[in-house]
């Protein structure tokens, strides 16, 4: 049975009983302040050496790239929401057991305009840029009737299209970047290639390099959800998103109140779009400047709405007429999806409340004492769950009975009508995961296991508002291993396989760990993915903010 190590002690104990009953944990008291994790930092444009403790395997050769907000104010103006900070790109270059670090702010138009005037000039998700005080009163009045210009502050993740690296957020702008120099090479507008107003920062990839993504489009008749397909080949050196096409469009249940989504799922033959009850009031969004409100003011949680899974055939572009429903849940990240025995297994991290996005205001993250405890205790926990979707529902399929015939699965799926199947999930964890505050930022051995049956996934535990542990989940018996040290806050774990790996978990986990109680207490952590034992760490002599997502780029 798996063992867990805590607080770097020598004692170990088994974890996991294979069952989950209630997702309850004790109310938090006395949470440590994490204000230093969401403060502005200086960039480190030239590589600096790190102090390595332990051993970093010599076979790891490449760049560990991270993205996230790194500047939260300009002059006397400041951002309101964690998601608003200016994108900072980080690179850990790992070669022959040694590590160097450097970082740069993304040279976006938003960053340049804000820097030139030393004030917030462009609106972000939770911050409305106020009218330029240099304009006269009439000009400032008229500016309120203008549409908000979409930001190009691509602060969420690193993604790949046609072999090139891009940084992305959720607007129509992405930036092609040089992963070696961390320089922005080109600002790219999705809408110049296909009729979408943005795309997610979490695309999926087929083995041949074909990339799938999702983006909304907004017109006079309302919104559409669009499945995007980008070919793997370039036609010339200047090719970016050329050849991208909309595979299909899905009509929202309410065209003026479409769902917000951060990611989607993909199996071998299907794209799975999850239409959740986090809704966008388009009227409020287009009038936010007139009303003096940020974009986030137009996003709300409607627990009366069911969540709907839409299946799209990747080969034909046809949307399944059968819709798979479940209760109101909110989802930011999917784990994996695969087809087996006529079913599609959909593994996602989800919670039963969709208001958490409002808790990540900068002022909340910088609270301390009882005020910080209260913010955490009003934030719903996120847990890994599996939904089982029957793929061959016909008129002959019986109604009112569980169609899930898999004996090892506790999930249910019941045909309610010709085009509706209601699904209830199976927990992918035991009760003891509640002690670690649930799980988010899930990662798998993507190259080997994406769209296929798999056994392991990795993530962060959240006994705080940001990740404070690293978890390795074992689907075989729903147990887990954990890396946890009090006062340390690891970021999203990224799996890197060993050369010529034979087993699924042959490799290492990379994570950036921050220590808010220490100045310059940042280090790159390297864990053995199989045992979850620490192999080594590279101490970075500068401060870093807590980031969102990243990737590992193998050196040629």
């Amino acid at each position: 049975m798996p063992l867990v190590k805590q607080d770097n002690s020598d004692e170990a104990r088994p974890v996991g009983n294979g069952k989950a009953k209630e997702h309850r944990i004790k109310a938090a008291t006395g949470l440590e302040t994490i204000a230093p994790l969401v403060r502005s930092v200086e960039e480190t444009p030239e590589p600096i050496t790190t102090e390595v403790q332990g051993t970093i395997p010599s076979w790891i050769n490449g760049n560990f790239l991270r993205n996230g907000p790194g500047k939260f104010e300009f002059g006397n103006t400041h951002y309101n929401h964690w998601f608003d900070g200016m994108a900072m790109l980080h690179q850990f270059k790992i070669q022959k057991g040694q590590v160097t670090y450097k970082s740069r702010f993304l040279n976006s138009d938003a960053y340049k305009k804000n820097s030139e005037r030393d004030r917030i000039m462009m609106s972000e998700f939770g911050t409305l840029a106020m009218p330029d005080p240099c304009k006269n009163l009439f000009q400032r009045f008229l500016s309120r009737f203008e549409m908000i210009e979409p930001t190009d502050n691509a602060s969420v993740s690193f993604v790949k299209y046609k072999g090139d690296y891009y940084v992305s957020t959720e607007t129509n702008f992405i930036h092609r970047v040089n992963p070696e120099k961390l320089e922005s090479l080109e600002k790219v507008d999705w809408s110049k290639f296909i009729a979408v107003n943005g795309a997610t920062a979490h695309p999926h990839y087929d083995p041949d390099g074909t990339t799938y993504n999702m983006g909304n489009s907004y017109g006079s008749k309302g919104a559409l959800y669009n499945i995007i397909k980008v070919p793997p080949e370039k036609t010339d050196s200047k090719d970016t998103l050329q050849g991208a096409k909309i595979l299909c469009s899905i009509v929202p249940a309410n065209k003026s109140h479409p769902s917000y989504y951060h990611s989607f799922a993909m199996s071998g033959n299907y794209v799975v779009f999850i239409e959740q009850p986090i809704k966008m009031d388009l009227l409020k969004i287009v009038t936010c400047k007139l009303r003096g409100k940020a974009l986030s003011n137009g996003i709300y949680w409607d627990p009366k709405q069911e969540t709907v899974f839409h299946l799209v055939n990747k080969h034909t572009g046809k949307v399944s007429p059968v819709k798979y429903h479940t209760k109101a849940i909110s989802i930011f990240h999917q784990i994996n999806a695969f087809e087996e025995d006529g079913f599609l297994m959909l593994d996602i991290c989800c919670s039963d409340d969709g208001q958490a996005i409002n808790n990540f205001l900068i002022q909340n993250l910088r609270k301390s004492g009882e005020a910080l405890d209260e913010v955490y205790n009003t934030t719903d926990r996120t847990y890994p769950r599996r939904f089982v979707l029957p793929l061959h529902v016909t008129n002959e399929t019986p109604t009112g009975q569980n169609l899930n015939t898999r004996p090892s699965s506790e999930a249910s799926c019941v045909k309610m009508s010709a085009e509706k199947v209601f699904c209830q999930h199976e927990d992918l964890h035991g009760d003891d995961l509640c002690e670690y505050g649930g799980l988010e930022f899930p990662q798998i051995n993507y190259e080997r296991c994406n769209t296929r049956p798999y056994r392991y996934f990795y993530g962060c535990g959240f006994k705080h508002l940001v990740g404070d542990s690293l978890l390795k989940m074992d689907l075989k018996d729903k147990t887990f291993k954990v890396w946890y040290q009090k006062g340390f806050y690891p970021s999203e774990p990224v799996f890197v396989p060993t050369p010529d790996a034979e087993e699924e978990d042959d490799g290492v986990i990379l994570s950036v760990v921050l220590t808010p109680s220490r100045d310059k207490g940042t280090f790159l952590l390297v864990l053995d993915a199989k045992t979850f034992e620490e192999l080594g760490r590279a101490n970075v002599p500068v401060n870093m903010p807590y980031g969102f997502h990243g990737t590992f780029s193998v050196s040629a």
Side-chain angles (χ1 to χ4, degrees):
M1 181 171 284
L3 298 178
V4 59
K5 284 199 169 183
Q6 297 190 70
D7 299 316
N8 216 23
S9 69
D10 294 327
E11 295 183 1
R13 65 177 178 84
V15 181
N17 59 15
K19 293 184 179 295
K21 299 176 183 177
E22 297 184 48
H23 299 156
R24 295 178 181 173
I25 63 173
K26 295 179 181 179
T29 57
L31 289 177
E32 177 187 25
T33 180
I34 54 171
L37 307 188
V38 286
R39 66 183 174 191
S40 298
V41 300
E42 298 295 325
E43 63 181 2
T44 307
E46 298 300 324
I48 57 175
T49 59
T50 65
E51 178 191 1
V52 174
Q53 292 177 260
T55 302
I56 296 178
S58 58
W59 58 263
I60 308 176
N61 287 290
N63 294 322
F64 183 37
L65 305 170
R66 295 282 301 161
N67 195 356
K71 186 174 179 60
F72 299 96
E73 63 281 314
F74 287 90
N76 295 324
T77 59
H78 60 85
Y79 291 113
N80 299 321
H81 201 282
W82 188 21
F83 300 170
D84 298 345
M86 291 291 95
M88 180 174 246
L89 314 183
H90 309 266
Q91 179 208 79
F92 293 85
K93 180 177 285 294
I94 310 172
Q95 289 182 319
K96 300 179 181 179
Q98 299 300 311
V99 180
T100 61
Y101 168 80
K102 68 179 177 181
S103 64
R104 286 181 182 269
F105 284 110
L106 176 66
N107 196 31
S108 62
D109 288 346
Y111 181 76
K112 288 185 287 188
K113 290 179 180 179
N114 295 341
S115 298
E116 288 168 3
R117 301 296 294 273
D118 198 25
R119 66 185 302 271
I120 295 174
M121 299 293 294
M122 292 191 67
S123 297
E124 300 291 340
F125 173 75
T127 305
L128 180 68
M130 300 308 293
D132 189 343
C134 295
K135 293 182 178 180
N136 63 40
L137 181 62
F138 184 63
Q139 289 174 321
R140 293 201 300 272
F141 172 74
L142 288 180
S143 70
R144 289 191 174 274
F145 294 88
E146 299 171 353
M147 287 288 290
I148 285 183
E149 183 181 355
T151 183
D152 68 332
N153 178 36
S155 63
V156 178
S157 189
F158 277 87
V159 299
K160 287 182 77 173
Y161 294 103
K162 303 183 180 183
D164 287 335
Y165 283 90
Y166 294 79
V167 286
S168 176
T169 179
E170 295 179 339
T171 70
N172 53 304
F173 295 116
I174 58 178
H175 283 264
R176 187 164 63 91
V177 296
N178 182 325
E180 288 293 334
K181 297 182 179 180
L182 295 186
E183 293 177 345
S184 177
L185 303 175
E186 183 179 5
K187 176 181 173 181
V188 181
D189 184 349
W190 274 101
S191 65
K192 300 296 184 183
F193 302 93
I194 49 176
V196 295
N197 296 92
T200 80
H202 293 287
H204 277 294
Y205 310 96
D206 271 344
D208 68 352
T210 300
T211 308
Y212 295 85
N213 209 330
M214 286 199 59
N216 280 1
S217 58
Y218 307 107
S220 59
K221 296 183 180 180
L224 290 173
Y225 310 121
N226 301 294
I227 311 298
I228 302 167
K229 184 176 182 178
V230 182
E233 306 89 2
K234 282 187 174 186
T235 56
D236 56 54
S237 61
K238 296 182 179 180
D239 189 345
T240 56
L241 301 177
Q242 280 82 358
K245 67 177 183 179
I246 294 177
L247 186 63
C248 77
S249 297
I250 301 170
V251 179
N254 185 333
K255 289 186 176 183
S256 62
H257 291 247
S259 290
Y260 167 79
Y261 54 90
H262 183 73
S263 66
F264 64 99
M266 186 179 83
S267 68
N269 294 299
Y270 297 94
V271 168
V272 186
F273 167 57
I274 305 171
E275 190 173 19
Q276 62 183 339
I278 301 179
K279 299 295 182 178
M280 299 186 293
D281 186 326
L282 296 186
L283 180 60
K284 281 189 174 182
I285 289 174
V286 298
T287 61
C288 62
K289 200 168 184 180
L290 178 63
R291 296 182 299 110
K293 300 289 186 179
L295 285 167
S296 57
N297 181 255
I299 298 179
Y300 66 97
W301 167 248
D302 185 358
K304 297 179 182 179
Q305 299 290 323
E306 291 183 343
T307 301
V308 182
F309 305 127
H310 300 268
L311 267 60
V312 177
N313 188 301
K314 288 163 56 178
H315 311 294
T316 66
K318 291 184 178 180
V319 184
S320 170
V322 177
K323 306 301 178 187
Y324 303 86
H325 291 238
T326 191
K327 66 179 184 177
I329 54 175
S330 69
I331 304 102
F332 277 91
H333 301 109
Q334 60 86 38
I335 306 169
N336 198 8
F338 62 94
E339 301 154 43
E340 195 172 68
D341 302 328
F343 296 92
L344 189 151
M345 264 55 71
L346 175 62
D347 296 350
I348 54 180
C349 289
C350 53
S351 69
D352 297 321
D353 188 278
Q355 302 184 80
I357 195 170
N358 297 317
N359 284 350
F360 292 105
L361 298 171
I362 294 293
Q363 64 184 32
N364 285 340
L365 296 173
R366 290 177 177 170
K367 287 179 177 178
S368 60
E370 293 182 359
L372 181 59
D373 295 346
E374 183 179 354
V375 173
Y376 179 76
N377 291 331
T378 56
T379 303
D380 203 53
R381 310 291 171 257
T382 299
Y383 290 92
R385 298 171 178 173
R386 171 169 292 178
F387 292 86
V388 177
L389 314 182
L391 292 173
H392 307 299
V393 178
T394 66
N395 291 334
E396 286 70 40
T397 303
T399 59
Q401 67 183 54
N402 185 10
L403 302 178
N404 182 15
T405 56
R406 299 167 62 85
S408 60
S409 173
E410 299 174 2
S412 67
C413 43
V414 178
K415 179 182 174 184
M416 310 299 290
S417 64
E419 296 184 349
K420 179 178 179 178
V421 173
F422 192 84
C423 303
Q424 294 187 9
H425 69 269
E426 168 189 1
D427 287 311
L428 296 181
H429 63 92
D431 288 342
D432 41 13
L433 182 60
C434 301
E435 299 175 19
Y436 291 90
L439 181 147
E440 250 291 4
F441 292 146
Q443 290 283 316
I444 62 172
N445 182 340
Y446 192 93
E447 184 175 349
R448 176 172 178 150
C449 299
N450 184 50
T451 75
R452 301 180 181 93
Y454 69 115
R455 178 174 174 179
Y456 303 108
F457 64 96
Y458 312 87
C460 285
F462 279 77
K463 290 197 294 183
H464 211 303
L465 288 168
V466 298
D468 67 343
S469 62
L470 294 171
L471 305 169
K472 176 188 180 179
M473 307 297 296
D474 187 343
L475 291 174
K476 183 177 181 180
D477 51 11
K478 297 182 181 178
T479 57
F480 64 90
K481 298 180 181 180
V482 61
W483 182 92
Y484 170 77
Q485 293 185 19
K486 184 175 176 57
F488 290 75
Y489 296 86
S491 62
E492 169 194 60
V494 172
F495 178 87
V496 181
T498 58
D500 304 318
E502 295 185 1
E503 298 185 2
E504 180 184 331
D505 58 349
D506 283 343
V508 297
I509 292 294
L510 302 180
S511 177
V512 178
V513 182
L514 307 181
T515 316
S517 61
R518 302 181 190 174
D519 184 46
K520 301 176 183 177
T522 304
F523 59 91
L524 171 65
L525 175 68
V526 183
L527 299 180
D528 184 314
K530 187 177 290 293
T531 65
F532 236 50
E533 297 287 341
E534 179 173 340
L535 297 175
R537 61 177 68 177
N539 297 293
V540 183
V542 297
N543 289 313
M544 285 179 59
Y546 197 92
F548 296 140
H549 298 290
T551 190
F552 182 76
S553 168
V554 179
S555 293

